[in-house]
Amino acid sequence: MTSIKQPGEKNLMLFSGRAYPELAEEVAEHVGVSLTPTKLIDFANGEIYARYLESVRGCDAFVIQSHTGPINKWIMEQLIMVDALKRASAKRITVVMPFFGYARQDKKGRGREPITARLMADLFKTAGADRLMSIDLHTSQIQGFFDGPVDHLFAMPVLESYLRGKLDLANTTVVSPDTGRVRLSERWSDILGTPLAFIHKRRDLDVANTVKVNEVVGTVKGRTCVLIDDMIDTAGTICKAADALYEQGATNVIVAATHAVFSDPAVDRLKNSRISEVIVTNTLPLAQESRFDKLTVLSIAPLIARAITEIFQDGSVTSLFEGDT
């Protein structure tokens, strides 16, 4: 079965790009449909061709693509898929991007810089998207860049459920690795009922372009510390933060993050660090060589599937997670 039909012409269809079909198939299984057959090929010069092998006229379309490497190719493929759906008369098109590519450039920090998060929103709107869905955006204001509904899902319930089963909350402190993640860490602290600490960083004036971990603000001595972040890219910040916590007397450091970007040399840094466990979700694919003994990967597919079902049935997406609407 490749669609769900309801009285009144409602028809849910799920589509996947080639970046991470395993996640899309897992989501489809939870929704209770099959992925719609789609022809996706590359021309000799690298251009992408897309064609759907079933009629999509009047459907409620959900296009899943994880923005992993090579990121520009997979973003372009998703844009082309959306354009094909629009021209084939899909009734409503929802772009599902578990990891929102280019989200880190969400404001102008200096002159002559782009705001790529806004550019991404504009591109998908122009292609024909009616709605966006993503998980743990780098900053919440990105929701305002898209002229239409944006479903900002949170991986917190998935990560929190796992952590509750293994932590002694009476001896745990939630830690933000920098001031930019304090609001996220505050939410975690409120839900878990634990104290909050954060790492205060200063730039080393003697060495250009170097960030130096300076001090830990909060009580961490003799406690298990849970470092919270939205993504781990090269793992430099998170590993320095863990070292600072151990220097201040922490007995154990666990890292919980949504997106495992893991650009080189992240895996080597994490493997060789004093961090006892790194917990991430599968919003992005992880090659076998990027997995290591203290890495735990939790599935985000059930959350995405429930959100898709709620949208299709005109239900409440807010009820699926703890966070701001």
Side-chain angles (χ1 to χ4, degrees):
M1 179 173 65
T2 58
S3 65
I4 297 176
K5 295 184 179 179
Q6 290 188 349
E9 304 179 33
K10 295 197 75 174
N11 180 22
L12 186 157
M13 300 184 78
L14 201 57
F15 307 87
S16 172
R18 294 174 291 174
Y20 192 9
E22 295 83 4
L23 176 61
E25 288 167 1
E26 190 179 350
V27 170
E29 183 178 348
H30 283 282
V31 173
V33 299
S34 300
L35 294 174
T36 302
T38 306
K39 184 178 182 180
L40 291 164
I41 61 172
D42 295 334
F43 289 115
N45 68 345
E47 292 180 10
I48 297 168
Y49 171 85
R51 181 175 183 271
Y52 301 110
L53 305 182
E54 293 183 7
S55 173
V56 300
R57 184 177 297 275
C59 78
D60 203 341
F62 294 84
V63 187
I64 303 177
Q65 182 84 299
S66 290
H67 296 171
T68 184
I71 189 168
N72 297 327
K73 176 178 180 178
W74 300 135
I75 289 172
M76 191 66 197
E77 180 174 90
Q78 194 174 25
L79 287 166
I80 291 169
M81 293 176 72
V82 170
D83 183 77
L85 283 167
K86 180 182 180 182
R87 296 178 188 280
S89 301
K91 186 175 183 179
R92 181 171 65 170
I93 303 169
T94 300
V95 170
V96 182
M97 38 186 166
F99 175 71
F100 191 115
Y102 286 96
R104 280 177 285 187
Q105 299 175 68
D106 58 359
K107 61 184 179 297
K108 288 182 67 174
R110 296 178 296 177
R112 301 180 297 281
E113 286 184 342
I115 304 178
T116 56
R118 173 58 192 265
L119 174 62
M120 285 280 292
D122 288 344
L123 286 170
F124 279 105
K125 187 66 177 179
T126 301
D130 299 295
R131 190 180 195 112
L132 300 184
M133 182 191 298
S134 192
I135 300 169
D136 283 338
L137 293 169
H138 192 60
T139 51
S140 293
Q141 71 253 24
I142 292 173
Q143 296 171 84
F145 293 171
F146 183 75
D147 186 15
V150 177
D151 296 297
H152 184 196
L153 307 183
F154 294 85
M156 185 185 299
V158 178
L159 296 167
E160 177 214 347
S161 176
Y162 175 83
L163 284 168
R164 275 189 185 275
K166 66 181 307 172
L167 290 176
D168 174 12
L169 296 180
N171 192 43
T172 299
T173 297
V174 169
V175 183
S176 172
D178 54 42
T179 54
R181 299 291 104 193
V182 168
R183 187 178 178 189
L184 173 65
S185 300
E186 281 178 342
R187 193 179 299 140
W188 271 88
S189 176
D190 290 342
I191 289 175
L192 292 176
T194 64
L196 174 68
F198 70 93
I199 309 292
H200 179 57
K201 296 190 298 188
R202 294 181 187 271
R203 294 208 171 268
D204 189 340
L205 300 179
D206 297 324
V207 183
N209 301 318
T210 299
V211 174
K212 181 179 180 181
V213 174
N214 187 265
E215 75 181 280
V216 177
V217 180
T219 303
V220 300
K221 187 174 182 179
R223 301 178 67 84
T224 294
C225 293
V226 182
L227 275 164
I228 303 296
D229 214 341
D230 64 322
M231 73 173 74
I232 302 175
D233 191 356
T234 60
T237 295
I238 212 78
C239 288
K240 287 181 180 179
D243 289 340
L245 291 172
Y246 278 116
E247 288 170 9
Q248 294 299 314
T251 57
N252 189 26
V253 176
I254 297 171
V255 172
T258 304
H259 308 295
V261 180
F262 286 4
S263 303
D264 284 336
V267 173
D268 287 338
R269 282 176 171 169
L270 292 169
K271 282 197 296 188
N272 297 322
S273 72
R274 299 171 68 187
I275 297 168
S276 62
E277 185 176 9
V278 180
I279 308 159
V280 298
T281 70
N282 62 340
T283 56
L284 292 166
L286 277 175
Q288 194 57 43
E289 57 268 23
S290 295
R291 297 177 182 266
F292 46 96
D293 290 342
K294 53 187 175 181
L295 177 69
T296 300
V297 182
L298 306 177
S299 178
I300 205 71
L303 178 65
I304 297 174
R306 288 175 62 197
I308 287 173
T309 302
E310 291 293 336
I311 291 169
F312 176 60
Q313 296 176 346
D314 297 322
S316 172
V317 176
T318 305
S319 63
L320 304 182
F321 52 84
E322 296 291 335
D324 299 331
T325 57

